[in-house]
DNA sequence: CTATTGACGGAGA
DNA sequence: TTCTCCGCCAATA
């Protein structure tokens, strides 16, 4: 949760750490999940000092799909992220976060295994 | 306290 | 489609 005791940078890093390899999230989405829907810009300010190797900051791109840095494009390609020109193919590689369950116990009916979804 | 800055986003031109 | 403006947020000076 986004309690006040949690510093903004901590919340941002917590979200970014969740982005799996081969997927990307926009600065805006990260801000949203960190509890500040309109703070995309502030997210960038945090990631600017990203020295922690556990934080895959290269998986955070602009809403347009363009990586903040050209070198990130290389790293993303190595993870299998597809591009259209110089921007990430967001239709296929945008991360769909699993949101926290509000009613634990519900969801996922009778032994239905989760099927991998192919993105378009 | 106000002003500036910045790995942003989106509406318009 | 690309480029400019302007709003938004947090950190700094």
């Amino acid at each position: 949760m986004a309690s006040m005791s949690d510093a903004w940078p901590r919340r941002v890093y917590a979200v970014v750490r969740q982005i799996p390899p081969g997927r990307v999230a926009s600065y805006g989405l990260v801000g949203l999940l960190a509890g500040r829907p309109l703070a995309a810009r502030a997210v960038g300010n945090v990631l600017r000092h990203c020295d922690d190797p556990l934080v895959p900051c290269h998986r955070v791109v602009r809403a347009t799909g363009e990586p903040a840095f050209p070198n990130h494009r290389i790293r993303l390609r190595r993870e299998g992220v597809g591009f259209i020109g110089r921007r990430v193919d967001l239709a296929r590689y945008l991360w769909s976060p699993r949101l926290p369950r509000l009613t634990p116990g519900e969801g996922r009916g009778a032994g239905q295994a989760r099927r991998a979804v192919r993105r378009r």
Side-chain angles (χ1 to χ4, degrees):
Chain A
M1 322 291 235
S3 79
M4 206 171 66
S5 55
D6 281 328
W8 168 247
R10 273 188 54 106
R11 304 206 311 265
V12 169
Y13 290 135
V15 171
V16 176
R17 254 197 312 271
Q18 303 305 117
I19 309 174
R23 280 297 168 87
V24 301
S26 67
Y27 288 90
L29 177 58
V30 172
L32 176 70
L33 297 174
R36 290 296 144 78
L38 305 180
R41 206 162 186 176
V43 169
N45 281 323
V46 170
L47 263 40
R48 187 154 70 84
H49 321 319
C50 180
D51 38 348
D52 191 338
L54 290 178
V55 181
C57 51
H58 61 288
R59 295 181 194 141
V60 182
V61 301
R62 295 190 213 272
T64 58
E66 183 174 18
F69 282 101
N71 46 300
H72 288 174
R73 196 162 45 107
I74 310 298
R75 302 179 64 182
L76 290 172
R77 283 176 57 89
R78 278 201 312 242
E79 294 183 355
V81 173
F83 283 74
I84 299 177
R86 35 171 137 74
R87 24 206 218 104
V88 169
D89 183 353
L90 294 177
R92 296 182 186 179
Y93 301 97
L94 180 63
W95 174 48
S96 303
R98 282 204 194 173
L99 299 176
R101 179 144 305 150
L102 294 178
T103 61
E106 170 238 340
R108 171 138 43 261
Q112 264 289 4
R114 218 174 168 317
R115 185 177 298 265
V117 263
R118 162 132 19 212
R119 291 193 167 264
R120 266 276 21 191

